[in-house]
Every structure is written in structure tokens, then in C-alpha cells.
């Protein structure tokens, strides 16, 4: 008879995995992906190093899972600002919601600069790079929905929502690289204000025609 896990065993395994990821994220905030060592993490989790490898066969697998775990938290924050019930009466336009989401993303990044650098720009293994690209598409999808809503209610001009949303995600990520890498050279509040203003100008400006671009 094949062995079947009981619900108690599954719950224990899930609790162990969650404990590993929680501690790994805390360690990531101190040392980034480059400094995340399996032996150190095992000590933090109060488990044997071999236990980590039962859940994550390699360090690359672990880093990918940590990246996904951390990014899901950030996506939830962005989604909270971009999405609202149809009956919402808060008076915010699509552009307002996008500005709030971008500002929240940037503030959270600058409050946890080591983690933000790891998630956005740190050189990482191929599997983590692939996850980074997948999650950029997740972010872009959320912004695309918000832009489409703005077009429908005529608070944003017609535009290519997919292109605009990808441009927003790329712009805010690239804008944060300077403040994250060279913190002493930037006023964080001003960096956030300028970055969000740039993004909002991009999606709210009037469309250009070929004649507009000719001298």
C-alpha cells in the first residue's frame, strides 16, 4: 500500500517551509542573495542544514522561493492601492490610485533597501532572474487594469495599456536603483516624488501625432 501523508504531516511540513521562508526573508534583508548561506539559515531556523535541502534542493531553489515569497508581499500592497470595489466613493481617479501604488512601492523599497536591491537589481542566479521577469509581468498586469479603467472613465487618455504598464514598472524600478545603491547622494522623499511624477506624466500626457514631432 502506498504511503499517504496525513493532514497533520502536511501541516507540519507547511509550517516548516513557512518558517524557513520567513527566516530567509529576514536574512535577505541583512545580507542580500549573495550573503544568504544555507548553514546560517539552518541555524536561524533551528533545523539541520539537511532539512533545508529536503525542502529546497539547491540554494538557487531557495533563493527563487524567497524571491517569490517577498514579491508576493509587495504585489499585495500594490494591488490593494490599485483595486477598489465598484461602489467605491473615495473619489480617487485611476491616476490617483496608480500614484498611490507607485509611492507605496517606492517607500517600502527605501525602508528595506537591502531587500529591495536584492529583488530589483542584485545579480542573481538564472532561476531568480526568470522569476523577476515573471513578477514584472504580474505588476504590469495590475497597472494595465488600472490604466484601462482610467481610459474607460475618461480620466486617462487613450493609450496602449500593456505598453504603458510595462513602462511604469520599468521606470519605477530603474528610478529606485540610484537611491538604493547610493543612499547618501539622494533625498529619499524627493526621489520618490520625482519618480512618481515622471510616471504620472507619462500616462496622463496628451498623445503625440507624427506632425507634433516634426519641427
Amino acid at each position: 500500500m502506498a504511503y499517504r501523508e496525513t493532514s497533520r504531516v502536511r501541516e507540519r511540513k507547511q509550517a516548516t517551509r513557512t518558517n524557513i521562508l520567513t527566516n530567509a526573508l529576514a536574512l535577505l534583508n541583512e545580507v542580500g542573495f549573495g550573503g544568504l548561506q544555507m548553514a546560517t539559515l539552518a541555524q536561524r531556523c533551528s533545523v539541520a542544514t539537511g532539512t533545508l535541502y529536503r525542502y529546497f534542493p539547491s540554494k538557487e531553489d531557495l533563493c527563487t522561493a524567497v524571491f517569490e515569497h517577498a514579491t508576493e508581499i509587495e504585489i499585495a500592497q500594490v494591488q490593494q492601492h490599485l483595486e477598489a470595489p465598484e461602489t467605491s466613493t473615495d473619489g480617487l481617479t485611476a491616476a490617483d490610485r496608480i500614484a498611490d501604488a507607485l509611492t507605496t512601492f517606492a517607500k517600502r523599497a527605501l525602508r528595506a533597501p537591502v531587500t529591495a536591491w536584492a529583488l530589483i537589481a542584485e545579480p542573481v542566479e538564472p532561476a531568480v532572474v526568470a522569476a523577476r521577469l515573471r513578477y514584472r509581468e504580474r505588476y504590469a498586469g495590475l497597472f494595465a487594469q488600472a490604466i484601462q479603467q482610467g481610459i474607460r472613465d475618461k480620466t486617462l487618455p487613450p493609450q496602449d495599456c500593456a505598453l504603458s504598464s510595462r513602462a511604469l514598472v520599468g521606470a519605477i524600478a530603474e528610478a529606485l536603483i540610484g537611491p538604493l545603491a547610493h543612499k547618501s547622494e539622494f533625498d529619499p522623499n524627493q526621489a520618490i516624488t520625482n519618480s512618481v511624477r515622471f510616471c504620472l506624466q507619462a500616462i496622463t500626457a496628451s498623445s503625440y501625432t507624427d506632425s507634433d514631432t516634426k519641427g
Side-chain angles (χ1 to χ4, degrees):
M1 179 181 295
Y3 170 73
R4 296 178 62 183
E5 287 185 345
T6 65
S7 59
R8 182 173 297 180
V9 170
R10 287 194 297 272
E11 289 171 3
R12 187 172 69 246
K13 285 185 174 181
Q14 183 58 47
T16 300
R17 190 177 192 277
T18 300
N19 180 50
I20 292 170
L21 289 176
T22 300
N23 280 283
L25 182 54
L27 189 57
L28 181 73
N29 195 42
E30 298 171 17
V31 297
F33 283 117
L36 205 165
Q37 299 299 319
M38 299 294 266
T40 304
L41 177 59
Q43 188 175 22
R44 289 276 187 102
C45 297
S46 299
V47 300
T49 303
T51 299
L52 297 184
Y53 285 102
R54 286 203 297 272
Y55 287 85
F56 305 99
S58 69
K59 181 182 174 182
E60 185 172 5
D61 291 321
L62 171 68
C63 288
T64 303
V66 174
F67 177 91
E68 292 171 346
H69 177 64
T71 307
E72 285 289 350
I73 295 171
E74 299 309 315
I75 280 185
Q77 291 290 323
V78 168
Q79 189 168 10
Q80 181 179 338
H81 286 276
L82 290 177
E83 295 182 352
E86 292 295 327
T87 57
S88 174
T89 57
D90 57 17
L92 295 179
T93 66
D96 293 330
R97 296 183 187 282
I98 290 169
D100 286 347
L102 292 171
T103 300
T104 296
F105 178 84
K107 284 183 176 180
R108 287 175 62 84
L110 294 182
R111 281 201 298 266
V114 177
T115 296
W117 176 261
L119 298 180
I120 294 171
E122 182 180 354
V124 287
E125 296 294 330
V128 184
V129 172
R132 190 178 276 166
L133 293 175
R134 288 197 305 274
Y135 275 89
R136 281 203 173 197
E137 285 298 301
R138 287 272 304 277
Y139 280 118
L142 293 173
F143 282 109
Q145 291 175 16
I147 294 170
Q148 184 61 56
Q149 180 61 48
I151 294 171
R152 284 197 297 267
D153 62 27
K154 302 186 186 305
T155 60
L156 289 176
Q159 56 196 285
D160 184 328
C161 297
L163 179 61
S164 295
S165 64
R166 290 189 179 98
L168 283 183
V169 173
I172 196 66
E174 290 296 320
L176 288 172
I177 288 177
L180 291 172
H182 310 287
K183 295 184 287 294
S184 62
E185 300 176 18
F186 291 86
D187 176 338
N189 291 324
Q190 193 62 49
I192 291 171
T193 298
N194 291 343
S195 299
V196 174
R197 181 185 296 124
F198 174 84
C199 290
L200 267 291
Q201 287 173 342
I203 62 171
T204 59
S206 301
S207 300
Y208 284 102
T209 64
D210 288 343
S211 60
D212 291 325
T213 61
K214 295 177 181 178

